[in-house]
Amino acid sequence: GVHPTRCMEFEDAPDAEEHFQSLLELAKLGKQEGIVAAVGEMGLDYDRLEFCPKDIQHKYIVKQLALAEATGLPMFLHNRNNGDDLYEILSSNKDKWASGGGVVHSYDDSADLAAKFIDLGLFIGLNGCSLRTEENLEVVKTLPLDKILLETDCPYCDVRRTHAGYEHVKTQFESKPEKKYEKGKCVKGRNEPCQIVQVAEVIAGVRGIALDELADACYANSMKLYGWSEEDSNAY
């Protein structure tokens, strides 16, 4: 898939339809070989319109829904400061993607909008950027446990000391500057996959539940969305 801020690549390609078809073939082949789990990241981003205007973003999020329709894969969705526009597009075109579902990742919008996405059958993905403010934490408290996915969005979106929920972080990782990299330690200033536990600790803390309860629920949610089985997870 193509990120909303990069959708000009369709317009800049010699043939936009041919560019799309190449994505579709890649998604189909990846699904067949078991190496593509979702289509995306696609959606709307009004914070960075200098990279791609609204009309082009709208044109190609609708176009890319055909990737989900043709493959049955879930969507990995980007939602940034666009009001209800992404929701309206997804709602109006639900027949194209409903079989595979999807997740609105790095969610940092309102509780009302989250509820609308959930009513469509979508999951809500949370990372450090979802946990920055007290308002963010209040939204997290409203989400049904069976609709939350954990993510890092590394190397970005870490849980920082300035974030409202940082007090709930229990697990720390030793880090070194990139130029002094040392195996077994994180790179300073870079979010790493292992730090997903910090996201879980903050969410569990603000919701007042055990970390294991949250982790088990989010694991089950991931397995459900991506259609994985225990045999699949054991293979890795």
Side-chain angles (χ1 to χ4, degrees), residues 47-96:
D47 275 347
R48 291 173 282 183
L49 295 175
E50 67 271 23
F51 296 115
C52 186
K54 289 182 184 181
D55 60 327
I56 300 299
Q57 290 190 34
H58 280 240
K59 179 179 178 180
Y60 289 107
I61 177 58
V62 173
K63 181 70 173 176
Q64 289 185 88
L65 293 179
L67 296 173
E69 183 176 26
T71 62
L73 289 168
M75 303 174 297
F76 199 76
L77 295 163
H78 182 98
N79 176 74
R80 187 70 67 238
N81 194 25
N82 63 82
D84 283 359
D85 288 1
L86 180 60
Y87 166 77
E88 295 294 346
I89 289 172
L90 295 174
S91 181
S92 299
N93 294 275
K94 190 174 180 180
D95 58 310
K96 295 181 179 179

Side-chain angles (χ1 to χ4, degrees), residues 8 14 57 74 86 90 131 140 145 151 154-155 164 186 200 204 212 226 235:
M8 282 302 298
Q57 290 190 34
L86 180 60
L90 295 174
L131 308 168
V140 168
L145 192 55
E151 59 174 85
C154 58
C186 294
D212 284 350
Y226 296 112

Side-chain angles (χ1 to χ4, degrees), residues 4-197:
T5 63
R6 296 295 178 264
C7 279
M8 282 302 298
E9 72 179 53
F10 286 105
E11 298 289 294
D12 294 338
D15 187 317
E17 182 59 30
E18 186 176 304
H19 188 56
F20 172 78
Q21 289 299 323
S22 68
L23 289 174
L24 178 56
E25 291 306 312
L26 185 64
K28 287 181 175 178
L29 179 62
K31 180 182 179 181
Q32 181 180 335
E33 296 183 350
I35 57 175
V36 172
V39 293
E41 175 179 351
M42 56 194 191
L44 297 176
D45 188 322
Y46 293 176
D47 275 347
R48 291 173 282 183
L49 295 175
E50 67 271 23
F51 296 115
C52 186
K54 289 182 184 181
D55 60 327
I56 300 299
Q57 290 190 34
H58 280 240
K59 179 179 178 180
Y60 289 107
I61 177 58
V62 173
K63 181 70 173 176
Q64 289 185 88
L65 293 179
L67 296 173
E69 183 176 26
T71 62
L73 289 168
M75 303 174 297
F76 199 76
L77 295 163
H78 182 98
N79 176 74
R80 187 70 67 238
N81 194 25
N82 63 82
D84 283 359
D85 288 1
L86 180 60
Y87 166 77
E88 295 294 346
I89 289 172
L90 295 174
S91 181
S92 299
N93 294 275
K94 190 174 180 180
D95 58 310
K96 295 181 179 179
W97 58 265
S99 63
V103 54
V104 185
H105 105 107
S106 194
Y107 191 81
D108 66 351
D109 214 303
S110 70
D112 287 344
L113 184 57
K116 289 181 178 181
F117 282 132
I118 289 169
D119 285 344
L120 285 180
L122 297 167
F123 289 84
I124 303 296
L126 303 176
N127 57 37
C129 289
S130 311
L131 308 168
R132 288 178 291 196
T133 67
E134 291 293 344
E135 291 79 6
N136 292 152
L137 301 185
E138 289 303 312
V139 172
V140 168
K141 292 176 185 178
T142 71
L143 302 175
L145 192 55
D146 64 354
K147 287 296 183 179
I148 297 175
L149 295 187
L150 302 178
E151 59 174 85
T152 59
D153 204 28
C154 58
Y156 314 109
C157 293
D158 51 325
V159 179
R160 301 184 179 183
R161 293 182 182 275
T162 55
H163 289 182
Y166 187 81
E167 65 181 295
H168 298 289
V169 172
K170 302 291 190 294
T171 306
Q172 300 291 344
F173 298 93
E174 189 175 354
S175 64
K176 293 279 188 178
E178 186 174 4
K179 292 183 178 179
K180 297 182 179 180
Y181 173 75
E182 188 176 325
K183 188 175 181 180
K185 295 179 181 177
C186 294
V187 174
K188 190 173 183 179
R190 185 174 77 187
N191 198 14
E192 305 278 4
C194 62
Q195 290 169 276
I196 196 168
V197 66

